[in-house]
Amino acid sequence: MNRRPRLAHAVVTDLRRQIETGLLQPGIQLPTEPQLEAHFNVSRTVVREAIAELRAAGFVVPIQGKGMFVSEAMPSTVTALSAGEIKSIPQTLEMLEFRTALEGEAAAIAAYRRSASQEDSIRAANEEMRRLAEAGEATVDVDFDFHMAIARATNNSFFVEALARFGARSIPRSQFPTLVDATTKKYLLGVIDEHSRIVDAIADQQPEAARLAMREHLLGSQRRYRQLAR
């Protein structure tokens, strides 16, 4: 798996959080590339990709001969997407369509096949995502863990292999590091509530309810990203 985009995403997310919370004030100079490399323990290439994303989204601006500075005017949610993110929207929608077909059935099968320990793993992943969201920490990996736990609960290796092939990049917001709305606490808690409905249906061994809850969860994501496409 190519880890570099994931690493750049983590850098973008952290720097954007610092900018939005005022830890990095408008007009202040960003740390130098070597300082960012040391702080995040990443390569110069990763740092440059992250800075390019922030610059394209309008969060930082270069001043010739001096370096990169936090923008005096913060971008709106609509203008915060970089050119690369906009280009990735069609592929994101295709991924969501595929996941809706795959994971709707996986949730239904898990509802009647899951073991007690598998049910616990699904629930634990969702609770860990809640903890991280409440703490303001990254949730992409644990979100993917939740969906993988359901795939494993089908006790069918093909569901596991199909989802594992894409990894955490199948979580849409992992592809949009500068999209502010997709990382707010309110948004994430809404996702977690949708997960909880899936968990409850699986725990109650209700295949149709589990299928519907998963489809509604992923169709909701499709609607959100189709709106971005417009």
Side-chain angles (χ1 to χ4, degrees):
M1 182 185 299
N2 185 354
R3 296 180 65 247
R4 197 170 72 190
R6 296 280 307 286
L7 292 172
H9 166 72
V11 175
V12 168
T13 299
D14 190 274
L15 289 176
R16 197 191 70 199
R17 177 186 59 78
Q18 292 185 53
I19 292 169
E20 291 171 345
T21 59
L23 291 176
L24 289 174
Q25 294 283 335
I28 197 170
Q29 185 174 6
L30 287 186
T32 64
E33 287 184 358
Q35 289 172 329
L36 291 172
E37 291 168 37
H39 178 75
F40 291 104
N41 192 28
V42 296
S43 69
R44 178 163 297 186
T45 300
V46 169
V47 168
R48 287 179 174 176
E49 287 180 358
I51 296 302
E53 287 286 345
L54 289 169
R55 180 181 177 183
F59 286 97
V60 298
V61 293
I63 296 181
Q64 189 171 5
K66 293 185 177 181
M68 198 68 64
F69 290 75
V70 177
S71 177
E72 296 282 358
M74 285 298 99
S76 69
T77 299
V78 174
T79 61
L81 294 184
S82 69
E85 289 173 322
I86 292 171
K87 187 176 179 180
S88 74
I89 289 175
Q91 186 178 46
T92 296
L93 289 171
E94 289 180 0
M95 172 67 74
L96 285 167
E97 287 179 353
F98 174 76
R99 288 184 58 202
T100 300
L102 176 77
E103 295 191 62
E105 196 60 29
I109 294 172
Y112 62 80
R113 278 195 190 160
R114 89 293 183 272
S115 66
S117 63
Q118 287 170 334
E119 178 189 330
D120 289 343
S121 294
I122 297 168
R123 195 178 299 278
N126 200 38
E127 288 308 308
E128 176 64 5
M129 183 172 170
R130 186 183 300 278
R131 184 189 72 79
L132 293 174
E134 293 282 3
E137 298 181 30
T139 59
V140 168
D141 286 338
V142 73
D143 193 342
F144 179 68
D145 290 344
F146 170 81
H147 288 274
M148 278 297 294
I150 292 173
R152 293 189 187 98
T154 65
N155 293 295
N156 181 322
S157 63
F158 288 101
F159 282 101
V160 178
E161 291 171 8
L163 192 57
R165 174 184 174 188
F166 301 104
R169 68 186 178 89
S170 64
I171 303 300
R173 65 184 180 280
S174 72
Q175 304 303 306
F176 300 90
T178 62
L179 182 60
V180 177
D181 282 359
T183 55
T184 64
K185 182 177 176 181
K186 179 180 178 181
Y187 172 84
L188 293 172
L189 291 179
V191 171
I192 291 163
D193 286 343
E194 292 174 6
H195 283 182
S196 295
R197 288 191 282 275
I198 300 168
V199 174
D200 289 343
I202 290 174
D204 293 340
Q205 294 188 296
Q206 296 182 1
E208 288 304 320
R211 180 185 288 111
L212 179 61
M214 180 64 81
R215 284 183 57 81
E216 284 300 309
H217 171 53
L218 295 174
L219 286 171
S221 290
Q222 287 189 45
R223 287 191 291 270
R224 285 188 285 271
Y225 287 95
R226 286 189 192 283
Q227 183 63 37
L228 276 183
R230 298 191 188 101

